[in-house]
Amino acid sequence: MYYLHLQNKGNNFAISIIKIMTIAQTKQFIQSSEWVSIVTELRPSKDRATGNIKPFYLWRTFKFSPGDKFECTVINYADAGGKVPLVKIVIKGHNVWQGEHPIVKGAYNVDYVADEAYEITPLHQGFADAVNQAPANGLNKWEVNVMQDIKAKTFPAFGLAEGQIYVDYDLVYILNDLLFMGSKHVDGRAFDTPENRPTNLQIPLMKK
């Protein structure tokens, strides 16, 4: 499906044609490439200890494959320029498509279910020291460049409990070969429940 978009530019009007993809078309399209951040991204994040909002700098890479499978890699940085990496997070699992999202025609609710892996690799001694302050059963002491899978394990730093499979309640929208997902809430809430699903669009990912 296509629709015309009319934009007023001064005394002139510009008309563009926008394709609206079905869920099936969207699934096929996102599997056609690896998706990466355009620049180091900034998100609001809530400090679990104090409740204060703080900046979260990151770089994302997404891969989608048949069978509604996904792999997401996130590098978290200490700085806006992405020069000081803190931790690498790799989440692997399945997508559950939940129908249209009301934000824009062609956007769809998607749940990211981390039922295959939730891998954490400290890249900075400061991060390793911080998470070692709250030891968890089933995990070794955290060391730089040593990965541990926290799937279904207690991990207080990320608010995860024993036996819990993490789910991110998000959205997907394609426009002009760019992949949009949900923008984090300004109060730092995670997408950890259907009620906390995003209501706006995050800076897009581009094809690698």
Side-chain angles (χ1 to χ4, degrees), residues 75-76 85-88 121-125 127 144-145:
I75 305 294
N76 173 213
L86 297 176
V87 58
K88 177 182 178 181
T121 305
L123 302 177
H124 191 283
Q125 189 60 50
F127 179 88
V144 174
N145 294 324

Side-chain angles (χ1 to χ4, degrees), residues 84-149:
V84 184
L86 297 176
V87 58
K88 177 182 178 181
I89 305 166
V90 179
I91 300 175
K92 303 174 185 178
H94 292 82
N95 296 121
V96 180
W97 296 75
Q98 301 286 8
E100 294 186 1
H101 190 290
I103 186 172
V104 64
K105 194 69 175 176
Y108 300 100
N109 296 316
V110 179
D111 303 343
Y112 291 86
V113 183
D115 54 0
E116 291 191 354
Y118 199 138
E119 300 170 353
I120 306 294
T121 305
L123 302 177
H124 191 283
Q125 189 60 50
F127 179 88
D129 291 343
V131 292
N132 278 326
Q133 293 179 13
N137 293 332
L139 294 174
N140 299 321
K141 181 179 179 180
W142 291 96
E143 300 178 16
V144 174
N145 294 324
V146 178
M147 184 275 289
Q148 295 192 70
D149 191 345

Side-chain angles (χ1 to χ4, degrees), residues 165-206:
I165 297 298
Y166 178 77
V167 181
D168 209 35
Y169 298 90
D170 207 332
L171 65 85
V172 164
Y173 176 61
I174 304 298
L175 178 66
N176 294 335
D177 282 351
L178 295 172
L179 171 58
F180 291 83
M181 297 183 189
S183 178
K184 291 297 182 183
H185 301 292
V186 294
D187 60 5
R189 280 177 294 144
F191 301 158
D192 54 355
T193 66
E195 293 74 24
N196 282 342
R197 196 182 297 276
T199 57
N200 215 322
L201 297 176
Q202 175 75 357
I203 182 173
L205 302 174
M206 64 180 181

Side-chain angles (χ1 to χ4, degrees), residues 17-37:
I17 300 176
I18 298 176
K19 180 180 181 181
I20 300 174
M21 292 188 179
T22 64
I23 286 182
Q25 290 170 332
T26 301
K27 287 183 182 183
Q28 183 178 18
F29 185 79
I30 62 178
Q31 291 174 20
S32 67
S33 178
E34 183 174 343
W35 300 89
V36 298
S37 297

